[in-house]
Amino acid sequence: VPDKARVAPSSSDPKTKFYELTKNSDVDAFQSKTTPLDSNTLSKLRHIFDYRCIVGGAEQIFLLALGKSQIYTWDGKMPLRWKKMESFRLELPRETLLSVEIVQELKGEGKAQRRISAVHVMDALILNGTDVRDQHFNQRIQMAEKFVKAVAKPSRPDMNPIRVKEVYRLEEMEKIFVRLEMKITKSSGGVPRLSYTGRDDRHFLPTGLYIIKTVNEPWTMGYSKNSNKKFFYNKTTKESTYDMPPNAAAPFRVCHSERLFWAWVDGVIVHDSQTRMDPGKLSKDGFLTFIHQHHQY
């Protein structure tokens, strides 16, 4: 803990603060769109061990905290406009920049169902002044977990919750499908909707799956049949090593700009009770077949 007296957060404008925190880094990196995942782009995921997955529930945005309830959001589109979060009860430490979704979480079913807006952290860039953008994705998520544990106020039901997304390995994607079920929500007019249940029994209506590349070029990950261990392989120098090389971790910029998004729209089957399949769209079975083919065991 720094040996400093507590001072009231200085109210600086979010745009200036954003440039200051990101050391004037290229704003273009923030506004990159996700690549849609379909049968044509599936081949990008040949090296399946390089990827992690997150279930989406809303639009991905950036959140900037300047201390207490001074919290701003930006949709990642130009011009760079930070909007103050109104009617949202949340307090965060200053100098914090996160990639998040604001998700409508549901608890319970039927008439007793409660709905609350929650911040779901997808990635961390700066945590209370500490720049973590160049750390490995897993490391950033672990640091975000620690951060959220320190700032969340679960004893205050009037506060909007903040949680870190659950991250899955691409090769273990089947674990996600187990968490999907059809539930009746208040607004669905009695028609069951696809629902994803996260930790502690809260659920939300998923929009699809983000697939994040966490290994940096020219490195990729393979699996050694002899030692039953994963290893890193350099596509340029043909060198391989079991220990992660320092430049093999994809920084935030790479993870963000190379994301793929598999939209669970009508016609995409991800749950056994869904029947309307669009053969032109990528469904669960096709994706799992691809993963099993590239699972180099």
Side-chain angles (χ1 to χ4, degrees), residues 48-52 138 169-172 215 220-225 227-233 240-244 295-297:
I48 58 170
F49 300 124
D50 295 1
Y51 294 88
R52 294 285 190 278
N138 298 358
R169 295 172 183 276
L170 180 57
E171 72 266 26
E172 296 176 346
V215 180
T220 180
M221 282 181 84
Y223 192 87
S224 160
K225 289 194 181 78
S227 65
N228 284 336
K229 264 171 39 183
K230 289 180 182 172
F231 64 91
F232 289 86
Y233 175 73
S240 52
T241 168
Y242 288 117
D243 301 316
M244 189 173 97
H295 210 293
Q296 309 126 331
Y297 289 160

Side-chain angles (χ1 to χ4, degrees), residues 266-278:
D266 191 29
V268 172
I269 293 194
V270 288
H271 188 271
D272 297 341
S273 68
Q274 293 172 318
T275 50
R276 210 191 79 72
M277 184 174 175
D278 180 339

Side-chain angles (χ1 to χ4, degrees), residues 175-192:
K175 289 181 176 175
I176 298 171
F177 300 122
V178 176
R179 308 284 282 278
L180 297 175
E181 53 188 315
M182 303 305 273
K183 283 188 189 246
I184 291 181
T185 62
K186 266 184 175 170
S187 57
S188 65
V191 182

Side-chain angles (χ1 to χ4, degrees), residues 173-209:
M173 190 172 71
E174 280 160 272
K175 289 181 176 175
I176 298 171
F177 300 122
V178 176
R179 308 284 282 278
L180 297 175
E181 53 188 315
M182 303 305 273
K183 283 188 189 246
I184 291 181
T185 62
K186 266 184 175 170
S187 57
S188 65
V191 182
R193 305 268 303 272
L194 183 70
S195 171
Y196 167 82
T197 305
R199 290 180 273 226
D200 64 324
D201 214 33
R202 290 172 184 279
H203 50 276
F204 62 86
L205 306 179
T207 52
L209 196 68

